Amino acid sequence: MALRPDEFYDHARAAADAEVRLPLARMTGWDISPFEADGLRVSALRPPVLPEPGRHGEDPADCGECRSRDEGIWLNDRWRLARIPGVGVPLVLMLYPRDHYDMADLPDDLAAELGVLTTHVVRHVQALPHISRAHVYRIGDGAAHLHVWFFARPEGQAQLYGSWLPVWDDLLPEYPADVAEADATAVADALIASYGGRRADSA
């Protein structure tokens, strides 16, 4: 059984200093870290907040993703794919079920589709010129409607490898929107050819 919230906090606090700051993560020593360890310090560890605040869209009637179920670059009867604007890496896409589900309550047939569809999106993102890898993330703390992230890592940028990529994305200047839009269109067209569905603007 997982530690209770108070037990988890006490366990972590035992490793912290007098200001309740944990030591720097091992990741900050990696050569792909966007931060130099010298002068960097960890935020003070705050005690647990219970009950946790609700996420956006816990009530489907208030869910923005449900209201946007027909928007994006690609969709079929059950899924939609959208481009996230204003990012620093070449392309960030988000895959959503069109109906209101989170990961834990996704029916088995949709869960199976999610696996296959994720693989198709990754293939098409990685087929873009000058893209080496498509990173896939599901987090779920901010919104109750399932959303799966796809980050395109630019070719040759070895410093952007691995789990620091979303942090680098937030630090980099905004990528040219016209280039990202053209690449998103190429992914949508390839997805139509390999998986079916249609462009969202032709729904």
Side-chain angles (χ1 to χ4, degrees):
M1 180 186 298
L3 297 176
R4 296 189 316 264
D6 59 315
E7 292 173 328
F8 181 90
Y9 179 70
D10 290 344
H11 170 74
R13 186 170 180 163
D17 63 17
E19 295 182 315
V20 200
R21 296 180 191 277
L22 294 164
L24 288 179
R26 293 179 295 278
M27 291 172 59
T28 56
W30 297 354
D31 64 357
I32 58 173
S33 172
F35 306 110
E36 294 180 355
D38 185 36
L40 189 66
R41 67 180 189 165
V42 177
S43 297
L45 184 66
R46 296 188 292 266
V49 175
L50 296 170
E52 291 190 4
R55 300 174 296 170
H56 170 75
E58 293 283 6
D59 180 352
D62 298 325
C63 177
E65 302 316 326
C66 287
R67 289 191 296 273
S68 302
R69 69 185 318 268
D70 297 326
E71 298 174 10
I73 62 169
W74 171 92
L75 56 80
N76 68 10
D77 291 341
R78 292 150 67 102
W79 297 95
R80 72 181 183 95
L81 187 67
R83 181 177 77 84
I84 304 301
V87 300
V89 297
L91 188 63
V92 177
L93 302 175
M94 188 89 76
L95 180 66
Y96 310 85
R98 292 181 72 196
D99 293 330
H100 192 81
Y101 293 108
D102 199 354
M103 180 71 86
D105 56 25
L106 203 62
D108 286 351
D109 58 337
L110 279 178
E113 286 181 12
L114 174 61
V116 175
L117 189 49
T118 295
T119 300
H120 280 254
V121 174
V122 166
R123 285 178 189 151
H124 302 320
V125 171
Q126 290 184 178
L128 294 169
H130 312 301
I131 300 299
S132 289
R133 207 81 61 232
H135 291 204
V136 182
Y137 303 91
R138 182 270 172 175
I139 302 165
D141 278 333
H145 194 122
L146 174 62
H147 51 291
V148 179
W149 298 82
F150 297 83
F151 281 73
R153 181 176 64 74
E155 182 180 27
Q157 294 294 327
Q159 198 173 6
L160 275 59
Y161 279 13
S163 51
W164 280 113
L165 181 62
V167 179
W168 277 109
D169 171 65
D170 202 40
L171 295 167
L172 290 163
E174 185 174 337
Y175 195 81
D178 58 334
V179 179
E181 187 62 35
D183 282 343
T185 298
V187 170
D189 289 344
L191 193 55
I192 291 166
S194 72
Y195 192 84
R198 59 196 183 276
R199 296 287 301 279
D201 55 14
S202 64

